[in-house]
């Protein structure tokens, strides 16, 4: 954990929680150590900052490079250890995948969004997902920590309540990998996302 992250974590985490009125459940499920892949649904450009603010350990996100051009947000992204990815470049995406696997192998927590892009205003259950997390789970052999980000309208807004629910880590054994084929990646991605959407609650049950 670098000094810049330490500083930003102390000064910004509370600010993020305050601005988005964050309520967290399941923090005890965060692994205390070891490599781990953090997966959350994606409803806003602030999701990485929110996840980084609620977890105790540093989370490294790979995010689309355009976000690093957004004033203020880019500072949160850098503070949380994010690294840019050009989604239009297959080479860049492949490099990000290899980098993610390497970081997890070094014992770090790396965050990603199975949907691949933001779906503001939509229930995650009604959105498509990509199988990248399946490949990463197979190649890294790491546990996957599912996180559900929910608001009343599935949109993030200042001073509007944001619920963050952290589920139990999904172990490699639960994926039942055999040879790392595409259909296994697809199945693993759905297992992860089902765990995320299973944490969605009705408005009157939060």
């Amino acid at each position: 954990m670098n000094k810049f992250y330490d500083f930003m974590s102390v000064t910004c985490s509370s600010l993020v929680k305050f601005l988005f009125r964050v309520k967290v459940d399941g923090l005890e499920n965060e692994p205390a150590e070891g490599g781990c892949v953090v997966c959350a649904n994606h409803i806003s450009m602030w999701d990485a900052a929110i996840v980084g603010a609620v977890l105790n350990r540093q989370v490294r996100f790979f995010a689309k490079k355009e976000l690093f051009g957004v004033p203020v947000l880019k500072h949160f992204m850098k503070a949380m250890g994010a690294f840019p990815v050009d989604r239009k470049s297959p080479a860049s995406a492949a490099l990000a995948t290899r980098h993610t696997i390497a970081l997890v192998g070094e014992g770090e927590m790396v965050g990603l969004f199975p949907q691949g892009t933001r779906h503001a205003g939509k229930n995650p259950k009604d959105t498509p997902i990509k199988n990248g997390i399946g490949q990463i789970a197979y190649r890294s052999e790491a546990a996957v920590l599912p996180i559900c980000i929910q608001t009343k309208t599935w949109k993030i807004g200042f001073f509007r309540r944001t619920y963050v629910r952290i589920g139990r880590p999904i172990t490699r054994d639960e994926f039942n990998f055999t040879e790392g084929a595409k259909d296994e990646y697809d199945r693993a991605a759905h297992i992860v996302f089902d765990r995320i959407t299973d944490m969605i609650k009705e408005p009157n049950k939060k």
Side-chain angles (χ1 to χ4, degrees), residues 60-194:
R60 304 289 301 277
F61 279 92
F62 62 86
K64 66 178 185 178
K65 67 177 184 179
E66 290 82 1
L67 293 179
F68 289 81
V70 179
V72 180
L73 179 60
K74 66 180 180 181
H75 297 297
F76 284 100
M77 300 293 288
K78 290 180 179 179
M80 296 307 166
F83 45 100
V85 177
D86 183 353
R87 294 189 303 176
K88 297 180 180 179
S89 169
S92 179
L95 179 61
T97 297
R98 291 196 296 271
H99 190 34
T100 296
I101 294 169
L103 288 172
V104 172
E106 294 170 1
E108 296 201 43
M109 293 179 72
V110 180
L112 57 84
F113 303 104
Q115 292 157 291
T117 189
R118 298 191 303 271
H119 291 278
K122 295 182 179 180
N123 187 315
K125 293 181 179 180
D126 302 323
T127 62
I129 61 173
K130 300 182 181 297
N131 69 5
I133 177 55
Q135 180 181 15
I136 290 173
Y138 173 75
R139 293 176 58 187
S140 70
E141 300 186 2
V144 177
L145 185 68
I147 294 181
C148 177
I149 303 172
Q150 181 176 0
T151 66
K152 185 177 180 180
T153 61
W154 296 108
K155 293 181 179 180
I156 295 290
F158 291 140
F159 306 113
R160 297 178 184 175
R161 176 66 75 186
T162 300
Y163 297 89
V164 179
R165 304 187 185 90
I166 305 168
R168 176 181 59 80
I170 307 169
T171 65
R172 180 178 175 80
D173 290 342
E174 295 178 74
F175 292 120
N176 294 315
F177 289 125
T178 56
E179 56 184 18
K182 180 181 181 301
D183 61 327
E184 291 185 343
Y185 297 157
D186 291 339
R187 185 180 70 243
H190 279 89
I191 289 174
V192 172
F193 209 65
D194 284 347

